Amino acid sequence: MHKKLFIPGPVEVAPEILQAMAMPMVGHRMPEYAVVHKRVKENLKRLLFTESRVFLATSSAFGVMEGAVRNLVAKRCANFCNGAFSDKWHDVTRRCGKEADAVKVAWGQPITPELVEQTLSSGRYDAITLIHNETSTGVMSPLPEIAEVLRRYPDVVSIIDTVSSMSALKIPVDELGIDCCIFGVQKALALPPGLAVFTASTRALERAKGVEGRGYYFDFLEFAAADEKDNTPSTPCISQIYALDRQLERIFAEGLESRWARHKALAERVRSWVADRGYGFFPDEPYRSLTLTCGRNTKGTDLSALKKKLGAAGFAFDDGYGKIKGETFRIAHMGDMQMMDIEEYLAAIDRELAEL
Ligand SMILES: *Cc1c(COP(=O)(O)O)cnc(C)c1O
């Protein structure tokens, strides 16, 4: 039996998208591929509000997250850490042989503009990594305010992960001055995993030119060169690019404003359910994510038993990530999820909770 996914990634994929992946194959050096590649790229630019270069990489998000530090950190990187994914990004940066510091706040806390200012004012850094929406803790950091600070540091290249937020709210890449915006597709975009999207500003590409050890697979300059021909350096995951093509069409058919409003409504619904049932929240109010809600298990519910029961009923439940497993639970409301799906899920949780 298929368990309907309410975990924060991978998320449920629409049948229409799965069908798009079953289309006949083309060669990536055939003109047919370039047509799809170009259309996808142009639609991504619309979605991201950017005129920067937009590239498609065949990997999960961490491939490009690693690639970005290899391409863009020349001197020293500040890795802002407030959860499992951002902590790991610091580790990855170090493993790439880069000079880097973890600028840590407690899990559940946001990265604030004040912290970014304080860090960058030291003058030690020429790049930062930051996760907009920390999926492990359900915290969304205030990107527009952080962008204000970044504007004062034109020599610092910003590498921003929007894996679990892109398309759920407006993230205008150029207006925010993001040099490299990265996301995988299995979360907020609701596609099967295996494809990552990233942007590179002129400043980012200029930086890459002077950085040694970029490797090959994620060399931004290889991507830029292939992109001139609406192509990728190596064979891309063509089926997934078909799926992304279809998904972008569906996103614009829904309308961006409606999509953003839907995510807001879903978040509000789940938050009120959490409060009504007497649970707390892991993040503080203004920083609660729009795409997943991280509840605090203040009632001491046996979450692993709940997860088993929900699994048997056909729903995949998340009982917390890493060191906050059991202490928290996460309900995803990203991608193509509709209010009907959430109502069905919350009703199922209520049913199972009553029987615990
Ligand atoms: C899931 C996730 C990642 C890791 O992505 P992979 O596709 O598994 O490499 C990175 N950052 C955030 C915010 C995530 O939610």
Side-chain angles (χ1 to χ4, degrees), residues 78-81 103 105 110-123 125 127-131 141-143 145-153 156 158 160:
N79 303 115
F80 289 95
C81 297
V103 184
V105 298
I111 302 301
T112 61
E114 293 74 22
L115 182 65
V116 176
E117 170 67 48
Q118 189 193 328
T119 305
L120 296 185
S121 65
S122 70
Y125 304 103
I128 66 158
T129 68
L130 185 138
I131 293 187
S141 290
L143 209 43
E145 289 79 2
I146 291 169
E148 283 297 315
V149 174
L150 292 175
R151 241 183 283 286
R152 296 198 284 274
Y153 296 93
V156 176
S158 53
I160 314 284

Side-chain angles (χ1 to χ4, degrees), residues 90-285:
H90 173 61
D91 180 40
V92 168
T93 306
R94 298 284 302 132
R95 290 193 203 195
C96 290
K98 298 292 183 179
E99 301 287 336
D101 296 308
V103 184
K104 278 183 187 280
V105 298
W107 281 31
Q109 294 299 309
I111 302 301
T112 61
E114 293 74 22
L115 182 65
V116 176
E117 170 67 48
Q118 189 193 328
T119 305
L120 296 185
S121 65
S122 70
R124 300 179 67 190
Y125 304 103
D126 68 348
I128 66 158
T129 68
L130 185 138
I131 293 187
H132 174 222
N133 192 58
E134 234 312 341
T135 319
S136 60
T137 58
V139 169
M140 196 170 256
S141 290
L143 209 43
E145 289 79 2
I146 291 169
E148 283 297 315
V149 174
L150 292 175
R151 241 183 283 286
R152 296 198 284 274
Y153 296 93
D155 297 331
V156 176
V157 167
S158 53
I159 312 171
I160 314 284
D161 164 326
T162 59
V163 171
S164 57
S165 54
M166 182 50 77
S167 85
L169 71 165
K170 188 174 185 181
I171 305 177
V173 168
D174 287 0
E175 199 179 307
L176 295 169
I178 301 173
D179 291 298
C180 178
C181 178
I182 303 170
F183 54 98
V185 296
Q186 77 274 24
K187 294 185 186 165
L189 258 68
L191 299 181
L195 171 66
V197 176
F198 67 108
T199 68
S201 66
T202 308
R203 176 165 51 187
L205 291 172
E206 281 306 311
R207 169 68 60 79
K209 281 181 194 161
V211 176
E212 299 278 316
R214 300 189 303 275
Y216 166 72
Y217 197 69
F218 293 107
D219 182 351
F220 281 19
L221 303 181
E222 292 282 354
F223 275 90
D227 178 65
E228 297 292 339
K229 294 186 231 160
D230 292 311
N231 223 303
T232 50
S234 358
T235 317
C237 45
I238 296 172
S239 302
Q240 260 158 331
I241 293 170
Y242 288 156
L244 177 56
D245 189 29
R246 181 69 58 83
Q247 187 64 319
L248 287 163
E249 198 181 287
R250 295 171 85 234
I251 288 173
F252 289 114
E254 178 179 20
L256 293 182
E257 299 278 351
S258 318
R259 189 176 178 85
W260 301 333
R262 172 167 60 82
H263 281 86
K264 198 153 178 277
L266 291 173
E268 280 164 7
R269 175 68 185 103
V270 175
R271 288 170 195 166
S272 74
W273 180 89
V274 168
D276 285 352
R277 296 302 175 273
Y279 292 105
F281 294 89
F282 194 61
D284 289 337
E285 160 89 78

